[in-house]
Amino acid sequence: MKILALESSGLVASVAVTEDDNLLGEYTINYKKTHSQTLLPMLDEVAKMIELDLKSVDVIAVSAGPGSFTGLRIGSATAKGLALALDKKIVSVPTVDALAYNLWGSADLVCPLMDARRQQAYTGLYEFSEGQMNRVLAQCAAGIDEITEKVNQLGRRTVFLGDGVPVFADYIKEHVKVPYLFAPAHCNKQRAASVAALGAVLYEKGLAEDAAAHKPEYLRLSQAERERQEKVRDFRI
């Protein structure tokens, strides 16, 4: 089975193509450009380098959220456009799950942290056993104090990864009471290869959807929507 995967939920833009258990190509950028500028050119470059006929793709996997509202919309629109043009289905892959999947097989507890501003993170807790990833805490928006308290309660060595690590590193160093590690550069940010690999698992479980049904999973309101609600609340008061 051949999977085209897209990742644009955060600062990283990434495109990958897998076939069964082989990664045929991946293009990942984390440098000062908007995803609207990079995602399609990256796809075009990968397709050229591996001589990919897009019609040969079986399914499109996309990082579906949470994450940047703009990034998720770009990824979603790109996936839907490709799926409609190619008459393919989409697998919506939870962003935090895919980030944890970077550390497949880890013996430690895995805690992705995506910076969600205002001392919050998009996060979750994961463990691997018998070749499968299990959710200890499903992806959610939580305060850094809440997630570190949960880590302490579980009492297990934990690996932190994601763009929230540099944001919350000082807090983690001060408040986490269990042994912990920060994942290294090659596996500490979102990757389309992980979206593809986890997408394959979800596809086998029958979780592919028609393009028209796909939509991002934001988990919380956008900043603009939150500010609007605050203004309405202040006006009523």
Side-chain angles (χ1 to χ4, degrees):
M1 184 174 64
K2 191 175 291 184
I3 297 176
L4 167 62
L6 306 173
E7 167 59 78
S8 62
S9 63
L11 299 175
V12 171
S14 186
V15 175
V17 179
T18 60
E19 186 169 17
D20 299 326
D21 290 328
N22 295 311
L23 174 61
L24 301 183
E26 183 179 24
Y27 192 157
T28 299
I29 291 291
N30 181 22
Y31 188 77
K32 298 181 182 179
K33 291 184 181 292
T34 63
H35 300 325
S36 60
Q37 293 176 293
T38 56
L39 207 58
L40 284 174
M42 289 164 62
L43 170 57
D44 185 56
E45 189 66 23
V46 169
K48 288 178 182 177
M49 291 297 290
I50 64 172
E51 300 179 343
L52 174 68
D53 179 358
L54 286 174
K55 294 179 181 178
S56 69
V57 168
D58 294 297
V59 68
I60 297 168
V62 62
S63 179
S68 157
F69 283 75
T70 300
L72 290 175
R73 289 184 182 116
I74 291 169
S76 176
T78 303
K80 291 181 81 160
L82 289 168
L84 288 168
L86 299 170
D87 192 25
K88 307 294 181 181
K89 289 197 171 186
I90 293 175
V91 176
S92 294
V93 179
T95 300
V96 181
D97 291 16
L99 186 52
Y101 217 67
N102 285 5
L103 300 181
W104 188 93
S106 172
D108 300 321
L109 194 66
V110 176
C111 181
L113 293 171
M114 296 173 61
D115 183 20
R117 312 297 182 186
R118 299 186 177 188
Q119 287 298 297
Q120 284 203 322
Y122 296 123
T123 186
L125 293 169
Y126 303 83
E127 62 182 5
F128 294 86
S129 63
E130 298 181 357
Q132 297 202 7
M133 183 174 75
N134 302 309
R135 294 169 174 154
V136 178
L137 174 68
Q139 67 174 22
C140 60
I144 187 60
D145 56 335
E146 297 174 276
I147 192 65
T148 52
E149 182 180 353
K150 182 69 173 176
V151 166
N152 287 334
Q153 288 173 354
L154 291 170
R156 295 174 55 185
R157 189 168 76 164
T158 302
V159 184
F160 294 96
L161 72 161
D163 61 31
V165 168
V167 177
F168 301 119
D170 289 343
Y171 189 95
I172 291 169
K173 291 172 184 177
E174 184 175 350
H175 292 89
V176 172
K177 307 304 180 185
V178 299
Y180 66 86
L181 301 166
F182 295 141
H186 71 286
C187 60
N188 69 6
K189 299 291 191 303
Q190 291 96 320
R191 290 187 59 185
S194 292
V195 174
L198 184 52
V201 174
L202 298 178
Y203 181 83
E204 290 299 320
K205 293 180 178 179
L207 296 178
E209 59 189 352
D210 292 333
H214 169 72
K215 59 182 180 180
E217 183 178 357
Y218 297 116
L219 282 189
R220 68 176 194 176
L221 297 175
S222 69
Q223 181 176 345
E225 289 168 321
R226 293 196 303 272
E227 289 175 353
R228 179 179 177 276
Q229 285 190 352
E230 289 172 2
K231 288 179 180 178
V232 170
R233 184 171 60 251
D234 292 343
F235 177 78
R236 288 175 178 172
I237 293 173

